[in-house]
Amino acid sequence: MKISKIFARLIFTVLILSPSSCFCEWKIESADLRRAIQNNTKPPEKLMPSHELPPRTNDDGVIRRVKLPEGVKAVAVTFDMCELDTTTTGCDMAVMNLLRERGIPATLFMGGKWMRTHSRRVKEIMTEGGLFEIGNHNWSHGNCALLSEEGLKAQILWTQAEYELLREESGVDDIPEVPTLFRLPYGRNNDRALRVIAGLGLRVIQWDVAAEAGDNSDIKRAKRNAKKVAAMTKPGSILLFHANLVPKGTVNLLREVVNILDGEGYEFVKVSELLTMGEAETVRDGYFSRPGDNHALDKKFGTDGTGRKARFTGKP
Ligand SMILES: [Zn+2]
């Protein structure tokens, strides 16, 4: 046998047998695209989770970042995966594959209705619980500053119940029984919302770096934006991205941001881990980049953020 043939066979064997070859890409399908799956406005099959979290006696405010001990360089990348009552969005498998390929742990804040739309993908994601943790992002993006107390409770509990249902169906038992972290749609809250969320046992996680600014489909633009994102990032930062194909070109931006932060010696951790590494820095009123910059969104997405004209009451 020719040397080159032996060499080729050797490479082939190494690729097939080596453990690093077990990354297998999740194939992007048309059902992953935005609005590809028909909208379903019905309440979830199960309205209440069977697992109840112990109430948190104090609300912890809105966590924007974590103050880490001197010299510790860790950040958390987070992704919102959400849709309104009135439409469906996508599941950004290119983002998911990039995170898996690079072994970057991430926290995924999923809307309950979005989980039902993309249930097959959620169950796949659940099988990689070592890399991904799932947080609660309300049922249909209800605005926590505008919902009634009953409406807010239903938005949260329906989502916990949907997660439980999919966890059961996935057959995975090494992930938490229900999410313990919560992300505010539109970053909006008030004191009552913080009390209700804490009463249901969840901690509110926001971000100090809103990463996506406009369209990142163009690689050059994504590279420029990534430099700005990296410049805003500090040890203990929580970065906000989306993985629902609503902002365009997120995967390009993410790749560049990860490359820069990796080069600067940052370690990527899930939010739950970041919280154990230092002291949470909080505010009372969530915002994107400056206090009050999200209040204008109150009037844009229906009566209470869900896209509907009628109030969301939580009564099926
Ligand atoms: Zn969202």
Side-chain angles (χ1 to χ4, degrees):
M1 204 185 284
K2 274 191 182 166
I3 298 283
S4 61
K5 250 191 183 169
I6 294 172
F7 190 64
R9 186 163 289 182
L10 188 71
I11 292 288
F12 179 73
T13 313
V14 166
L15 282 175
I16 293 299
L17 298 179
S18 100
S20 66
S21 70
C22 61
F23 165 73
C24 108
E25 210 173 73
W26 285 335
K27 203 168 160 281
I28 301 173
E29 291 168 8
S30 56
D32 300 319
L33 301 178
R34 204 176 166 186
R35 298 194 194 98
I37 296 176
Q38 208 187 353
N39 196 33
N40 172 3
T41 56
K42 287 193 199 120
E45 199 176 302
K46 209 171 124 186
L47 298 175
M48 287 293 287
S50 350
H51 187 87
E52 255 178 63
L53 294 170
R56 299 182 67 80
T57 41
N58 285 317
D59 82 61
D60 321 72
V62 177
I63 298 171
R64 284 187 63 84
R65 48 174 284 103
V66 175
K67 189 171 170 20
L68 298 179
E70 201 59 38
V72 178
K73 263 186 123 174
V75 289
V77 289
T78 70
F79 297 83
D80 289 2
M81 301 161 104
C82 41
E83 62 189 30
L84 306 178
D85 251 317
T86 46
T87 189
T88 63
T89 63
C91 182
D92 196 335
M93 298 311 287
V95 161
M96 299 310 299
N97 279 327
L98 176 66
L99 295 168
R100 293 168 66 237
E101 187 182 0
R102 301 282 297 261
I104 293 162
T107 304
L108 314 173
F109 289 98
M110 296 182 182
K113 178 173 169 282
W114 183 94
M115 283 190 212
R116 182 176 63 187
T117 303
H118 294 283
S119 54
R120 193 170 60 84
R121 291 310 197 183
V122 175
K123 286 185 264 184
E124 269 179 326
I125 290 167
M126 284 175 165
T127 63
E128 303 211 353
L131 204 57
F132 302 124
E133 71 181 339
I134 296 175
N136 183 322
H137 189 40
N138 264 356
W139 175 256
S140 54
H141 226 247
N143 181 321
C144 298
L146 304 179
L147 288 163
S148 65
E149 185 157 338
E150 291 66 38
L152 174 55
K153 280 184 179 161
Q155 284 270 325
I156 296 169
L157 293 172
W158 289 10
T159 304
Q160 298 293 79
E162 185 66 27
Y163 170 99
E164 242 181 16
L165 188 82
L166 298 180
R167 178 183 184 271
E168 205 178 297
E169 285 179 13
S170 74
V172 170
D173 57 9
D174 60 350
I175 61 170
E177 285 178 284
V178 283
T180 59
L181 305 176
F182 180 82
R183 171 153 287 161
L184 301 161
Y186 314 104
R188 288 286 285 125
N189 70 290
N190 54 24
D191 278 350
R192 184 181 70 182
L194 294 184
R195 177 176 53 74
V196 170
I197 299 163
L200 295 175
L202 292 134
R203 293 181 89 178
V204 180
I205 310 299
Q206 223 200 354
W207 58 81
D208 62 325
V209 179
E212 293 137 328
D215 189 340
N216 286 288
S217 311
D218 177 69
I219 302 280
K220 277 189 191 155
R221 196 184 144 88
K223 283 189 183 208
R224 277 200 306 275
N225 284 340
K227 280 185 194 153
K228 290 184 201 161
V229 171
M232 289 189 282
T233 304
K234 295 177 280 202
S237 278
I238 299 172
L239 283 75
L240 164 70
F241 292 89
H242 288 75
N244 59 355
L245 295 172
V246 175
K248 294 195 174 88
T250 296
V251 71
N252 296 335
L253 179 70
L254 177 68
R255 188 181 297 108
E256 299 303 326
V257 168
V258 161
N259 284 344
I260 300 175
L261 297 181
D262 204 23
E264 290 175 357
Y266 277 99
E267 179 196 358
F268 297 96
V269 296
K270 292 184 260 194
V271 169
S272 57
E273 194 183 342
L274 192 68
L275 290 170
T276 66
M277 297 169 78
E279 202 184 315
E281 290 183 15
T282 62
V283 292
R284 296 299 303 171
D285 188 15
Y287 55 90
F288 276 88
S289 309
R290 279 178 313 282
D293 66 1
N294 51 352
H295 287 223
L297 296 175
D298 286 4
K299 293 193 178 76
K300 273 190 138 176
F301 300 93
T303 306
D304 39 26
T306 64
R308 297 161 22 130
K309 289 199 182 85
R311 281 192 74 76
F312 179 89
T313 60
K315 292 197 180 63

